[in-house]
Amino acid sequence: MKKKRSIYDVANELQVSVTTLSFVLNGKGQEKRISKEVINKIEAYIKEIGYQPNHLGRSLSTGKSKTIGMIVGDINNPFFSEVASVIEKIAVKAGYTLIVASSNNELNQMKSVIKLLNDRNVDGFIISPVAGIEEVIADLKKDEKPMIIYNCYFPELNTFNILVDNKQGAFEATSHLYDNGFRNIACITLDLYSQVDRIGGYSDFLASKNLDTHILQLPYELNYEEIINKISHFLTSNENLDAVFFSTNFLTLGGLKALSKLGGKYAQMGIVSFDDHLLYDVLNPGITAIKQPITEISSTIINNLLEMLDVSGNKVTEPQTIIFPVELIVRQSSFKR
């Protein structure tokens, strides 16, 4: 196999310095006052030999890798995949490659992924955190690594955070079920840090009406069939329940399967899901959902990170917390049938 040319080989063949070659490869020839003759010579030779610069070498010479590392909780979750898709489109237009990695909502895996991306010299991070990762995020902040935290955050860390109003959304979902005549409303959720505010909103509304809470908090690592079985057991063990607030759309899909299998009165239970889904509008009955503004969340994340990465500008992006409102999309599932 023929040995791949290094940047040093190409510079030697052109009889220019590695620095000069690097500037031209990165489109900074004119900015660095390199003569047009030399720029044309380098560009013509690069085209002739089909040279592809090594990205690690490029990052070492410029200090920039033109990559952004994004860490999601679970890439199978439609929320994360939709957010990543919008972010990638904007990042590519700005000249960046987006590297998406899933933590599977596990602390050790998130630590490993952050280390891997940091070792690859990504220019900035977009992180959906898990409990216990605070120290790692604090270290990134000390290293002045541009970073956006989304989905949930740690108030004690002075980071740039982008969220939705999870608590108000859950409060509104529960209130909507109450207004439609349901009184024994359950919350089926996950044992994740990101779900705390959704549980809180549900609990706060029921407390305001002096009603009991009925919470099933499932371990994240359960597979789909295990989720269905756990939900079925919970519902049959609490026979007075007449409605359910599901805190994620993945749980909603498992819950719908459980309710369908149980049949009878269970198929008539009121349902609201946190997070909308393409299927919810075509199911019968349609599923009422709390919708997050995916496009606005995604564009705000990447545009603020790009501002942090733009060293040529004078704008300093100060840490802040941006909270987007959510919207209740009403369909037939939240009405008595």
Side-chain angles (χ1 to χ4, degrees):
M1 183 180 293
K2 186 177 180 180
K3 181 183 177 183
K4 184 178 179 181
R5 283 182 171 94
S6 71
I7 192 170
Y8 300 99
D9 295 329
V10 176
N12 185 57
E13 291 163 12
L14 282 164
Q15 295 186 334
V16 298
S17 71
V18 171
T19 302
T20 296
L21 176 56
S22 179
F23 283 144
V24 174
L25 289 172
N26 287 284
K28 295 184 177 182
Q30 291 183 340
E31 177 187 331
K32 298 300 180 180
R33 300 182 183 278
I34 298 170
S35 72
K36 190 172 182 179
E37 180 184 356
V38 171
I39 293 174
N40 290 340
K41 173 186 174 183
I42 291 173
E43 290 178 343
Y45 188 67
I46 292 302
K47 185 176 180 181
E48 177 188 337
I49 66 173
Y51 174 67
Q52 294 292 327
N54 179 280
H55 290 289
L56 179 58
R58 178 182 291 183
S59 70
L60 290 172
S61 61
T62 66
K64 297 290 182 182
S65 65
K66 300 299 285 185
T67 58
I68 293 169
M70 180 176 183
I71 303 171
V72 304
D74 182 357
I75 199 62
N76 289 318
N77 185 320
F79 167 75
F80 289 118
S81 56
E82 288 175 35
V83 169
S85 178
V86 176
I87 286 175
E88 183 175 38
K89 289 175 184 175
I90 298 173
V92 167
K93 286 183 180 178
Y96 284 86
T97 297
L98 184 70
I99 302 174
V100 181
S102 178
S103 71
N104 288 325
N105 290 302
E106 296 176 359
L107 178 59
N108 288 334
Q109 183 162 337
M110 176 163 279
K111 287 180 178 179
S112 297
V113 168
I114 290 176
K115 183 180 185 306
L116 175 65
L117 293 172
N118 212 21
D119 288 346
R120 291 194 61 170
N121 197 35
V122 296
D123 296 327
F125 282 92
I126 300 170
I127 301 174
S128 174
V130 297
I133 202 66
E134 295 95 322
E135 186 176 343
V136 176
I137 290 176
D139 287 342
L140 289 175
K141 186 172 173 58
K142 286 178 186 176
D143 292 339
E144 299 184 345
K145 202 76 174 180
M147 173 174 46
I148 300 284
I149 304 298
Y150 74 108
N151 193 43
C152 58
Y153 77 116
F154 306 105
E156 67 276 12
L157 296 178
N158 192 28
T159 51
F160 197 112
N161 314 300
I162 296 176
L163 317 164
V164 298
D165 197 340
N166 288 295
K167 197 166 192 176
Q168 181 58 35
F171 188 98
E172 189 175 349
T174 315
S175 172
H176 175 71
L177 288 167
Y178 179 89
D179 290 344
N180 287 336
F182 298 101
R183 294 296 180 268
N184 295 293
I185 305 168
C187 173
I188 297 181
T189 185
L190 295 170
D191 185 17
L192 291 174
Y193 179 68
S194 61
Q195 303 297 298
V196 171
D197 283 344
R198 297 180 189 181
I199 298 170
Y202 157 84
S203 301
D204 285 355
F205 177 80
L206 291 184
S208 74
K209 301 297 182 181
N210 295 314
L211 294 174
D212 292 334
T213 60
H214 306 276
I215 301 173
L216 173 62
Q217 201 165 13
L218 296 171
Y220 169 77
E221 57 272 11
L222 294 182
N223 63 38
Y224 187 61
E225 288 301 322
E226 289 172 327
I227 287 173
I228 293 170
N229 292 335
K230 291 284 186 183
I231 291 175
S232 297
H233 181 264
F234 174 73
L235 295 175
T236 54
S237 300
N238 296 272
E239 294 187 355
N240 291 329
L241 295 178
D242 57 6
V244 183
F245 164 58
F246 293 99
S247 73
T248 76
N249 51 23
F250 186 69
L251 288 175
T252 305
L253 295 174
L256 290 173
K257 182 69 173 180
L259 291 168
S260 176
K261 288 174 69 174
L262 290 171
K265 68 174 184 176
Y266 296 101
Q268 307 301 313
M269 294 184 77
I271 297 170
V272 178
S273 171
F274 202 108
D275 274 345
D276 204 5
H277 193 285
L278 288 172
L279 291 175
Y280 290 175
D281 203 30
V282 297
L283 291 174
N284 187 19
I287 307 301
T288 296
I290 297 294
K291 182 179 180 180
Q292 301 191 63
I294 299 293
T295 301
E296 291 85 349
I297 293 168
S298 310
S299 59
T300 302
I301 288 171
I302 185 60
N303 287 330
N304 277 281
L305 184 61
L306 289 173
E307 283 190 1
M308 294 178 188
L309 296 172
D310 184 10
V311 294
S312 65
N314 295 319
K315 183 175 180 180
V316 177
T317 307
E318 297 291 343
Q320 60 178 296
T321 298
I322 299 173
I323 301 177
F324 286 95
V326 293
E327 179 184 4
L328 178 68
I329 306 297
V330 177
R331 300 186 181 101
Q332 299 94 328
S333 71
S334 53
F335 295 89
K336 285 188 177 287
R337 301 185 293 284

